[in-house]
Amino acid sequence: MPTSDAEIERVRELVASIPPGRVATYGDIAGAAGLSTPRTVGWIMRTDAADLPWHRVLRADGTPASHLARRQLARLVEEGCPLRGDRVDMTVARHRFGSQSGES
């Protein structure tokens, strides 16, 4: 089933709500948006995220996208996001979205 405009906007809202120095995973966002797979979030981020804090969205293990790693980690460090080597310390930096409503 195609991704609806409402689902795209919900993902955009969630990404925009991640505060500086914090991060969320593709799965966190998918869960908060009510999507069935994190891959949909990845697709939205690739096609419609230029005006969003895209650098705050990571894989579940805290690693950045390989083709953006240096730039993404540099932006996160500028915001005070804690790193452990080449990944974000998810136990400290993970943003938790609100309860069932998905609000942050």
Side-chain angles (χ1 to χ4, degrees):
M1 180 159 64
T3 305
S4 72
D5 289 344
E7 290 169 328
I8 292 169
E9 285 309 308
R10 182 65 182 140
V11 167
R12 290 179 51 76
E13 289 170 7
L14 289 164
V15 172
S17 76
I18 304 167
R22 304 296 299 268
V23 296
T25 69
Y26 294 96
D28 293 338
I29 296 166
L35 300 173
S36 61
T37 177
R39 290 183 184 272
T40 303
V41 175
W43 175 81
I44 293 167
M45 296 298 293
R46 277 192 310 277
T47 60
D48 193 24
D51 61 336
L52 295 173
W54 58 268
H55 58 286
R56 298 180 190 148
V57 181
L58 301 166
R59 296 178 183 129
D61 66 359
T63 58
S66 57
H67 66 289
L68 298 170
R70 187 171 295 180
R71 194 166 126 211
Q72 191 169 12
L73 290 175
R75 289 186 80 171
L76 290 169
V77 167
E78 285 175 13
E79 293 183 351
C81 192
L83 301 183
R84 285 187 178 200
D86 62 350
R87 65 186 64 213
V88 171
D89 184 346
M90 296 300 286
T91 60
V92 176
R94 191 176 211 156
H95 176 69
R96 303 287 180 193
F97 295 103
S99 59
Q100 278 86 357
S101 66
E103 295 175 20
S104 55

